[in-house]
């Protein structure tokens, strides 16, 4: 059983969200992902021993994610989610485990984009939120969507993960 330390921060002061409920649901989703052998056996954690996995989730507005997207991805537009997968994207010799804890990185989510896309996709705000957070978690574990097969794997597992809490 892996202990999860998920740090949630809402920097979007004008957007009131029940952080305790959202945090608890993200922990449930992530715990589900970590118990899925098909996911974990193919993840960046596969050959490591650890007791604790941690990562951050930061909620921002469109202006802030636009700035981050432009600075780090050289894309001059807001996006829904950006993942900085520090552990997965590091060379194996630079993947550090301190006192049994692995820090996977950070997921940044635009609450403005969640609101927009939930309306466009005719789903609830939380449906879209959990779908995108699970997307970020899969990126933290080293998954990508460069091929159709990888894309389908991610979408299938994002839908399974969000179904745990909806």
């Amino acid at each position: 059983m892996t202990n999860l330390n998920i740090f949630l921060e809402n920097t979007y002061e004008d957007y009131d969200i029940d952080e305790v409920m959202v945090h608890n649901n993200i922990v449930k989703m992530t715990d589900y992902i970590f118990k899925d052998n098909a996911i974990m056996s193919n993840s960046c954690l596969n050959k490591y021993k650890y007791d604790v996995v941690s990562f951050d989730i930061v909620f921002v507005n469109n202006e802030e994610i636009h700035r981050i997207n432009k600075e780090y991805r050289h894309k001059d537009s807001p996006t829904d989610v950006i993942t900085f997968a520090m552990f997965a994207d590091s060379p194996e010799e630079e993947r550090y485990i301190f006192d049994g804890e692995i820090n996977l990185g950070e997921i940044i989510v635009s609450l403005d984009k969640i609101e927009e896309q939930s309306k466009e996709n005719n789903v609830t705000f939380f449906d879209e939120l959990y779908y995108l957070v699970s997307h970020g978690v899969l990126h933290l574990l080293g998954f990508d969507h460069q091929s159709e097969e990888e894309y389908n794997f991610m979408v299938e597992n994002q839908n399974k993960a969000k179904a745990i809490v909806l």
Side-chain angles (χ1 to χ4, degrees):
M1 176 75 172
T2 300
N3 290 316
L4 298 170
N5 283 340
I6 302 172
F7 303 99
L8 185 70
E9 180 181 7
N10 182 8
T11 66
Y12 191 175
E13 295 174 6
D14 294 337
Y15 208 105
D16 187 31
I17 189 166
D18 184 344
E19 291 179 45
V20 172
M21 180 208 53
V22 169
H23 180 270
N24 290 340
N25 285 337
I26 290 171
V27 168
K28 287 178 193 172
M29 281 188 347
T30 305
D31 187 54
Y32 168 80
I33 290 169
F34 271 67
K35 288 179 180 173
D36 187 303
N37 288 331
I39 295 172
M40 295 310 292
S41 64
N42 293 295
S43 79
C44 67
L45 299 178
N46 183 25
K47 51 187 165 180
Y48 295 94
K49 291 193 181 286
Y50 52 89
D51 300 312
V52 178
V53 172
S54 63
F55 61 89
D56 300 332
I57 300 172
V58 182
F59 295 134
V60 299
N61 60 20
N62 270 352
E63 182 179 305
E64 180 62 10
I65 208 158
H66 184 168
R67 184 194 67 74
I68 294 166
N69 204 21
K70 187 174 182 180
E71 180 177 343
Y72 292 98
R73 298 180 66 228
H74 311 291
K75 296 187 178 186
D76 193 10
S77 62
T79 189
D80 48 12
V81 61
I82 297 175
T83 304
F84 293 99
M86 294 180 348
F87 191 82
D89 290 347
S90 295
E92 287 193 28
E93 65 274 8
E94 294 178 19
R95 290 182 175 176
Y96 300 110
I97 302 170
F98 296 104
D99 294 329
E101 182 173 354
I102 294 175
N103 183 333
L104 292 179
E106 183 174 66
I107 302 168
I108 301 170
V109 180
S110 169
L111 295 177
D112 289 330
K113 277 290 185 185
I114 299 288
E115 187 76 39
E116 291 169 24
Q117 291 175 183
S118 66
K119 291 174 182 171
E120 289 170 10
N121 297 330
N122 200 30
V123 296
T124 69
F125 175 88
F126 290 105
D127 192 344
E128 189 73 11
L129 174 70
Y130 296 133
Y131 182 78
L132 292 172
V133 168
S134 61
H135 181 88
V137 171
L138 290 170
H139 276 310
L140 290 178
L141 292 172
F143 295 98
D144 212 341
H145 39 80
Q146 298 301 316
S147 71
E148 185 175 345
E149 181 181 352
E150 291 171 329
Y151 174 81
N152 291 338
F153 177 85
M154 286 192 69
V155 168
E156 176 185 345
N157 285 293
Q158 286 170 234
N159 284 323
K160 286 179 183 177
K162 76 172 182 175
I164 296 299
V165 296
L166 293 177

